[in-house]
Amino acid sequence: GGTLQIVDVSIPQLPVPRGSLSISKGLDVVHHGSMVLIADEDFGGSGLKIIDVGSPDSPIELGAYADCSSASGVAADGDLAFLACNDGTMHVVSIADPAMPTQVGVYSDSSVFLQGSSIGSDGDVVWYGHLGGVDIIDIANPAQPTLTLRFETAGAVRGMEVGEDGNAWLAASNGGLYR
């Protein structure tokens, strides 16, 4: 098992533990409003956990999404969450009602296995990191995510950050850092 630990770092030299919550195996987390979204690698369980952290001393699980049973990456924009799933798919999930997250769309490419590892979003674009690089996916219509471009890297994309300046930084397991 794992733990979501909330730490007050308002004074960086004096971090103060706040609340915690038991989770399965969280691999990625994103803060979104008064919630955190956790990509969970709980094979057979729920790939997304939605936690209310409005009261940092007592976080509460609001909901979970199980159509992606094991996720490595999560990103969010507005009422949508994006999951990099270990089965080679990318799920678009409505979190408008955090207690009942629902599938909006799924991206997959049956021509190649793309075990998802990381994800980032910027407006109508999702960057889906996987074993062979990153797919840039158009989500203007979230019900039908569409591949725009595939950028291959020398290894699996394990970490990614999409900047507001239009740049993305990719950490590839065998290939170094890409910008």
Side-chain angles (χ1 to χ4, degrees):
T3 303
L4 168 68
Q5 178 69 57
I6 301 171
V7 179
D8 180 346
V9 292
S10 57
I11 303 172
Q13 301 81 3
L14 187 61
V16 178
R18 301 286 299 264
S20 64
L21 185 68
S22 218
I23 58 173
S24 299
K25 185 178 178 185
L27 294 183
D28 195 15
V29 62
V30 65
H31 182 251
H32 190 65
S34 64
M35 302 179 293
V36 294
L37 309 178
I38 299 173
D40 197 340
E41 191 186 46
D42 179 18
F43 289 95
S46 57
L48 172 66
K49 297 203 183 305
I50 303 170
I51 314 296
D52 180 347
V53 293
S55 175
D57 293 317
S58 49
I60 299 168
E61 184 171 330
L62 296 175
Y65 173 78
D67 287 350
C68 165
S69 65
S70 175
S72 297
V74 62
D77 188 15
D79 287 339
L80 296 176
F82 311 100
L83 287 175
C85 301
N86 290 323
D87 66 359
T89 62
M90 186 278 296
H91 287 231
V92 180
V93 180
S94 171
I95 55 172
D97 177 358
M100 297 292 294
T102 56
Q103 184 180 101
V104 175
V106 175
Y107 165 76
S108 66
D109 182 344
S110 59
S111 70
V112 62
F113 181 67
L114 302 174
Q115 180 180 6
S117 56
S118 59
I119 200 152
S121 66
D122 183 22
D124 286 343
V125 175
V126 168
W127 298 65
Y128 173 55
H130 51 74
L131 292 177
V134 66
D135 286 359
I136 301 170
I137 303 167
D138 181 342
I139 55 156
N141 177 357
Q144 295 183 318
T146 306
L147 177 67
T148 301
L149 176 73
R150 175 166 292 145
F151 178 76
E152 294 182 2
T153 59
V157 174
R158 298 293 182 199
M160 178 179 351
E161 182 67 32
V162 178
E164 293 179 12
D165 60 359
N167 285 307
W169 293 266
L170 314 172
S173 58
N174 295 328
L177 185 64
Y178 293 81
R179 176 179 155 246

